[in-house]
């Protein structure tokens, strides 16, 4: 048995850039082994209150830590052209060699609609993401490249600042088609915590896609982002979930909703029982340990943990002492 890779999910929807950088450094001091930083232009609900630019924050986190780091996840299709994502990612890897990974997703209207334009349905957004990856991979060669596709154009150019090796690309996927294509086209997969049967199905589709492309899925990272609520009492843990992370109890697709204020109105309908089966809410560290261990037993290679409350320091210290040392692969 070996110690698993358990990272810290830096939620930029909830914390300002200086504060979240300090939490990331504190997490590393207490045994967390990496940082996944959320890319948001707006928080889910106004109560969360923040949305700093992920690339600035990752740069600061890189200076204060020594482990892996990446955006979980950024969308290369609307707010930012894939060429800009490629430049940001290559620069970060040049600054922190061997530590950075590029997490990509197909986007949510909450963050992407702010530049205007038509917001397409999910299949189109997924197709745009996969074409964007083609553009990014071209630029990651460091050579002069161009692109003329269905969604993106790139006139002849190159990335002038390149790391020795391009960062790996991990794609956020939860559906059958996207997870299969991720296996084919990416270096690893990121998926959210869900029922074990669903996560297993995602990994099976990912493996099938990887084998189709002649790759060994066992060597490709399978990454889980896991939301949870821990506090000294069950009542506090539940209150934190309902107040700070009501979106975790919303049982419907959220990709088409544009405003934090619309989410705020929807949050009024969220009840404590809506979190059941979706997020562990408990004051008992061992309950959380068992939940995390069960995902590791499914074949997850890395887990990035997000405690939804504002009690980050207390949570980091408790989990560093009582949870992380007891996990194994």
């Amino acid at each position: 048995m070996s110690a698993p890779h358990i990272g810290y999910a830096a939620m930029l929807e909830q914390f300002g850039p200086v504060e979240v950088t300090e939490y990331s450094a504190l997490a590393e001091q207490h045994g967390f082994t990496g940082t996944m930083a959320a890319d948001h232009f707006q928080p889910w609900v106004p109560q969360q209150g923040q949305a700093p630019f992920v690339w600035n924050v990752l740069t600061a986190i890189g200076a204060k830590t020594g482990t892996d780091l990446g955006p979980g996840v950024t969308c290369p299709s609307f707010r930012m052209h894939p060429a800009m994502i490629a430049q940001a990612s290559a620069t970060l890897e040049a600054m922190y060699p061997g530590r950075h990974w590029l997490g990509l997703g197909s986007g949510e209207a909450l963050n992407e609609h702010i530049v205007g334009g038509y917001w397409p349905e999910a299949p189109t957004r997924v197709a745009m993401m996969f074409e964007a990856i083609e553009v990014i991979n071209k630029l990651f060669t460091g050579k002069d490249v161009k692109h003329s596709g269905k969604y993106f154009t790139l006139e002849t150019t190159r990335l002038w600042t390149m790391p020795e090796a391009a960062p790996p690309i991990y794609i956020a996927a939860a559906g059958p088609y996207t997870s299969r294509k991720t296996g084919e086209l990416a270096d690893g997969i990121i998926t959210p915590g869900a029922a074990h049967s669903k996560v297993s199905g995602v990994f099976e589709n990912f493996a099938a896609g990887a084998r189709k492309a002649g790759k060994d899925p066992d060597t490709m990272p399978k990454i889980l982002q896991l939301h949870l609520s821990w506090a000294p009492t069950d009542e506090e843990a539940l209150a934190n979930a309902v107040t700070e992370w009501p979106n975790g109890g919303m049982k419907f697709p959220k990709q088409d909703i544009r405003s934090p204020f619309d989410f705020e109105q929807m949050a009024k309908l969220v009840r404590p029982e809506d979190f059941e089966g979706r997020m562990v809410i408990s004051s008992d560290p061992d309950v959380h340990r068992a939940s995390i261990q069960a995902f590791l037993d499914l074949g997850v290679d890395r887990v990035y943990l997000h405690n939804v409350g504002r009690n980050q320091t207390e949570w980091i210290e408790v989990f560093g002492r009582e949870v992380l040392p007891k996990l194994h692969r």
Side-chain angles (χ1 to χ4, degrees):
M1 293 190 296
S2 60
H5 184 306
I6 308 293
Y8 175 68
M11 304 313 283
L12 276 58
E13 307 99 304
Q14 291 181 285
F15 305 108
V18 174
E19 187 178 12
V20 82
T21 299
E22 291 171 351
Y23 288 144
S24 300
L26 181 68
E28 183 177 273
Q29 292 165 22
H30 286 271
F32 289 79
T33 51
T35 305
M36 173 185 284
D39 178 14
H40 270 252
F41 196 86
Q42 305 185 97
W44 293 103
V45 292
Q47 166 67 20
Q48 292 166 357
Q50 293 285 342
F53 190 48
V54 70
W55 294 103
N56 298 59
V57 178
L58 282 169
T59 301
I61 290 172
K64 289 286 188 78
T65 63
T67 49
D68 76 86
L69 68 163
V73 292
T74 197
C75 174
S77 309
F78 298 95
R79 270 180 302 151
M80 289 180 283
H81 190 281
M84 300 310 300
I85 298 291
Q87 185 187 26
S89 181
T91 299
L92 196 66
E93 176 63 14
M95 294 176 74
Y96 307 118
R99 293 175 54 195
H100 166 56
W101 44 267
L102 176 57
L104 299 176
S106 56
E108 289 137 346
L110 177 72
N111 302 307
E112 307 305 327
H113 89 280
I114 53 100
V115 294
Y118 175 66
W119 179 247
E121 292 188 347
T124 301
R125 301 199 303 269
V126 169
M128 292 176 73
M129 175 184 69
F130 285 125
E131 185 181 320
I133 291 168
E134 188 180 345
V135 175
I136 292 168
N137 277 327
K138 285 181 178 180
L139 286 164
F140 276 177
T141 66
K143 301 173 182 175
D144 282 343
V145 292
K146 57 186 175 181
H147 183 86
S148 180
K150 184 174 182 179
Y151 302 108
F152 300 107
T153 299
L154 185 71
E155 292 196 346
T156 303
T157 190
R158 68 170 65 181
L159 289 180
W160 289 88
T161 296
M162 274 294 295
E164 285 191 17
I169 295 175
Y170 305 147
I171 297 175
Y177 172 77
T178 311
S179 50
R180 272 197 309 274
K181 291 294 287 185
T182 295
E184 286 183 48
L185 300 176
D187 301 302
I189 189 168
I190 301 170
T191 199
H196 292 180
S197 58
K198 182 173 182 181
V199 173
S200 292
V202 167
F203 289 165
E204 287 169 13
N205 283 307
F206 171 72
R211 284 191 288 266
K212 180 181 176 183
K215 297 187 283 187
D216 179 2
D218 293 337
T219 65
M220 301 167 71
K222 295 180 284 293
I223 299 166
L224 189 82
Q225 186 190 53
L226 193 61
H227 304 286
L228 58 94
S229 187
W230 175 88
T233 68
D234 288 350
E235 292 76 16
E236 288 175 82
L238 180 57
N240 286 345
V242 172
T243 303
E244 293 291 337
W245 206 254
N247 41 299
M250 296 178 186
K251 301 178 181 181
F252 52 84
K254 307 174 188 68
Q255 291 90 343
D256 297 329
I257 299 165
R258 286 165 162 71
S259 169
F261 298 100
D262 290 342
F263 274 112
E264 184 178 38
Q265 294 305 309
M266 295 171 192
K268 294 176 181 178
L269 304 175
V270 173
R271 299 290 177 262
E273 55 269 24
D274 294 328
F275 291 95
E276 289 177 14
R278 301 173 65 84
M279 190 164 81
V280 174
I281 300 172
S282 177
S283 61
D284 186 347
D286 205 52
V287 171
H288 291 285
R289 181 206 57 76
S291 168
I292 298 163
Q293 185 62 55
F295 283 111
L296 293 170
D297 293 343
L298 280 182
V300 171
D301 296 302
R302 305 185 202 169
V303 183
Y304 293 87
L305 300 178
H306 168 220
N307 181 46
V308 301
R310 296 195 174 268
N311 55 331
Q312 296 291 292
T313 298
E314 185 181 32
W315 167 71
I316 287 167
E317 291 172 351
V318 167
F319 270 51
R321 183 176 64 248
E322 300 184 32
V323 175
L324 302 192
K326 299 177 182 177
L327 297 170
H328 58 84
R329 288 199 62 218

